[in-house]
Amino acid sequence: MAMVKDIELNDDLDLTIENGDFKISESDQNHVINIIKSSLGAFKQLPLVGVGIDYYIASSGTQQVIKRNITVQMEADGYKVNEISISGDATYSIDANRII
């Protein structure tokens, strides 16, 4: 399986520039973060991509809905989701591997 590379983003999701040029690195983590944080319709070319995790922050009892949405979106992007953990302080952990 080939490693997917793309322009690197920092923790604020801004482009990383090194020596006056875009820095290229493995991009799976960036893809996952972008899918989780973006809302449906955020990508004009792919309007059905996105979880919109920020909309769930103030909601209670939605962990199963969040896990389902993340799983569906990740599988559509070519990942196999092994486990999703969501804690009470609105942090989450996703164990997924690219299969495509």
Side-chain angles (χ1 to χ4, degrees):
M1 175 177 8
M3 183 185 330
V4 178
K5 291 190 171 199
D6 203 347
I7 296 171
E8 182 176 291
L9 302 176
N10 63 20
D11 291 339
D12 296 325
L13 300 179
D14 287 330
L15 297 172
T16 302
I17 297 176
E18 186 176 90
N19 298 324
D21 203 357
F22 299 125
K23 185 174 179 184
I24 305 296
S25 67
E26 186 176 351
S27 61
D28 280 337
Q29 184 173 357
N30 288 342
H31 291 178
V32 171
I33 291 170
N34 287 332
I35 290 170
I36 302 304
K37 294 190 81 52
S38 65
S39 301
L40 291 175
F43 299 103
K44 184 176 181 179
Q45 190 173 12
L46 303 165
L48 299 178
V49 172
V51 173
I53 194 74
D54 293 337
Y55 293 117
Y56 293 103
I57 289 176
S59 302
S60 62
T62 59
Q63 287 189 358
Q64 290 305 107
V65 173
I66 295 169
K67 287 180 181 182
R68 171 79 174 131
N69 286 342
I70 290 172
T71 301
V72 167
Q73 291 293 329
M74 297 300 298
E75 288 176 353
D77 199 45
Y79 291 89
K80 179 185 180 300
V81 177
N82 301 318
E83 183 179 0
I84 299 172
S85 304
I86 302 173
S87 65
D89 63 348
T91 58
Y92 53 91
S93 172
I94 301 168
D95 177 19
N97 300 321
R98 181 174 287 279
I99 55 174
I100 295 177

